[in-house]
Amino acid sequence: MNDSAGLMNVFVVCFAAAFTGNILLTTFLGMCSFLAVSREVKTAMGLGMAVVFVMTCTTVLNWMLYWWVLVPLHIEFYRFILFIIVIAAFVQFVEMVVERYSPPLYYALGIFLPLITVNCAILGTSLFMVIREYRFGETVGYGFGSGLGWMLAIVAMAGMRQKMAVDRIPKGLQGPGITLIAAGLMALGFVGFTGVLQAR
Amino acid sequence: MSAAPGKQTASSVTMDALWSNNPIFRQILGICSTLAVTNLVLNTVVMCVALTLVTALSSLTVSLLRAATPRSIRMMVETLIMAFYVIIVDLALAAYWPEMRRNLGPFVGLIITNCILMGRAEAFAISNPPVLSFVDGFMSGVGYSFILLAIAVVREATGMGSILGHPLPFFGGPYWDKWIIMVMPPGAFFTLAVFIWVFRALSAEKEAKRP
């Protein structure tokens, strides 16, 4: 396979992860923080950026550890523990580095970083990457695309919720109910991307 | 609603977990890892059984080890305990039901990050005796499962016209245009939203009646 085809494939995987297979809207991963943190566009943006960064890095790290350590040793079933530890350790590490070298960024992102450890979307991306047997380049594209898709969804939702805050909504639907319906409508929109580009 | 703190019995814990403090309706927690498989009833059953077992057993273990766990690393210990049980479930599925494992894909592994597990461990098991923690974990799992099963039944019936793969009398017949959207992701959002709406409307009414 030549280089340009490889690059094309990376792009396809990345686009598919962000739109047609949006991790939040098609597999519901990361719903908890999605519902909790989507009240304001600014905080949603902060969390989104942290997710993009952590997701890209941990997916790549996990790819390397899985294919270069676990598979040769035939202990693939330890991947759950390994992935969780890598994610937790990486988040902790990033938190320390950011705190040390860039206090402003720490205050902007700091509160979101611990939240990310328990974000199912991060672990989910790593598990999907294993199941779909992505190569290295595709893994980079997939991790980045998934993060980007999650960020798009949460920022768009925060924008919608700011507008909805003043609407009259039936009592039982207020809060999570209406948010889920809005997310469903958004998911419908994203389903429309299916067929534009389909990753394997 | 719940019994006075310190005086919790198995039945008060059960009632709390099943209805008045149901993880899905009250807290909207833990839908992440399971909602995606609710398009078919069979997948949902397997996921729910796995989740209930893992929640109950990890609550039990966390509670047994609670005196020996240092406070500062308890989250890590809890996560490892959960991962341990999830690996058991995953290996059991791989050995006895490989096709189901393929259908569920990454979602079995994602039980680890299910908020309910961590929620029960942190809120209950870490400060309560083992048997009560087991009951609490088990019942939280059941309370969670019955809602997801209801969602799955609605989605499979309206979307595919069947339950567990068997065609239904009306929905499977020619008079019902299958709502394909219901088995696609947006359907799960809409069904869950309607369920939450109904539950909240009902419980708001009940609370209003109480003096």
Side-chain angles (χ1 to χ4, degrees), chain B residues 95-165:
Chain B
Y96 295 109
W97 207 350
E99 24 183 331
M100 179 48 79
R101 183 165 175 263
R102 251 197 312 282
N103 288 346
L104 293 179
F107 294 105
V108 176
L110 281 168
I111 292 179
I112 301 174
T113 47
N114 191 305
C115 320
I116 290 182
L117 268 83
M118 190 53 100
R120 286 341 285 169
E122 276 288 290
F124 199 91
I126 202 81
S127 54
N128 279 290
V131 178
L132 218 50
S133 302
F134 181 82
V135 172
D136 177 73
F138 187 79
M139 285 305 161
S140 292
V142 173
Y144 171 80
S145 304
F146 87 84
I147 293 160
L148 283 169
L149 277 176
I151 293 174
V153 167
V154 171
R155 286 184 73 191
E156 195 179 332
T158 51
M160 315 264 272
S162 63
I163 294 289
L164 291 168

Side-chain angles (χ1 to χ4, degrees), chain A residues 77-85 123, chain B residues 54 58 62 75-91 108-113 117-118:
Chain A
F77 57 86
Y78 278 130
R79 64 181 185 275
F80 299 146
I81 288 188
L82 179 85
F83 289 178
I84 272 285
I85 292 177
L123 180 65
Chain B
V54 172
S58 60
V62 167
M75 299 281 246
M76 205 65 226
V77 173
E78 284 160 11
T79 311
L80 288 183
I81 292 171
M82 291 158 198
F84 167 73
Y85 285 114
V86 170
I87 288 178
I88 294 181
V89 169
D90 186 54
L91 288 180
V108 176
L110 281 168
I111 292 179
I112 301 174
T113 47
L117 268 83
M118 190 53 100

Side-chain angles (χ1 to χ4, degrees), chain B:
Chain B
M1 281 229 171
S2 60
K7 278 207 154 191
Q8 284 169 318
T9 59
S11 64
S12 79
V13 165
T14 306
M15 199 47 219
D16 217 41
L18 278 187
W19 190 252
S20 42
N21 214 359
N22 186 295
I24 294 195
F25 287 149
R26 274 288 162 214
Q27 310 156 29
I28 328 284
L29 278 185
I31 45 177
C32 339
S33 53
T34 317
L35 201 55
V37 295
T38 52
N39 51 357
L40 291 175
V41 177
L42 187 61
N43 294 357
T44 316
V45 171
V46 175
M47 264 308 272
C48 286
V49 169
L51 186 117
T52 309
L53 278 181
V54 172
T55 316
L57 291 173
S58 60
S59 273
L60 177 74
T61 319
V62 167
S63 174
L64 281 174
L65 293 176
R66 71 186 190 282
T69 317
R71 244 194 117 56
S72 49
I73 57 156
R74 64 179 199 289
M75 299 281 246
M76 205 65 226
V77 173
E78 284 160 11
T79 311
L80 288 183
I81 292 171
M82 291 158 198
F84 167 73
Y85 285 114
V86 170
I87 288 178
I88 294 181
V89 169
D90 186 54
L91 288 180
L93 273 180
Y96 295 109
W97 207 350
E99 24 183 331
M100 179 48 79
R101 183 165 175 263
R102 251 197 312 282
N103 288 346
L104 293 179
F107 294 105
V108 176
L110 281 168
I111 292 179
I112 301 174
T113 47
N114 191 305
C115 320
I116 290 182
L117 268 83
M118 190 53 100
R120 286 341 285 169
E122 276 288 290
F124 199 91
I126 202 81
S127 54
N128 279 290
V131 178
L132 218 50
S133 302
F134 181 82
V135 172
D136 177 73
F138 187 79
M139 285 305 161
S140 292
V142 173
Y144 171 80
S145 304
F146 87 84
I147 293 160
L148 283 169
L149 277 176
I151 293 174
V153 167
V154 171
R155 286 184 73 191
E156 195 179 332
T158 51
M160 315 264 272
S162 63
I163 294 289
L164 291 168
H166 301 293
L168 283 175
F170 173 74
F171 291 106
Y175 304 108
W176 183 259
D177 241 350
K178 295 190 177 71
W179 297 357
I180 298 301
I181 196 74
M182 291 302 280
V183 284
M184 296 202 315
F189 282 114
F190 296 139
T191 320
L192 181 62
V194 170
F195 271 61
I196 288 173
W197 186 4
V198 171
F199 173 85
R200 294 221 162 168
L202 284 180
S203 62
E205 216 166 78
K206 222 196 281 174
E207 270 159 33
K209 269 186 198 154
R210 195 168 291 140

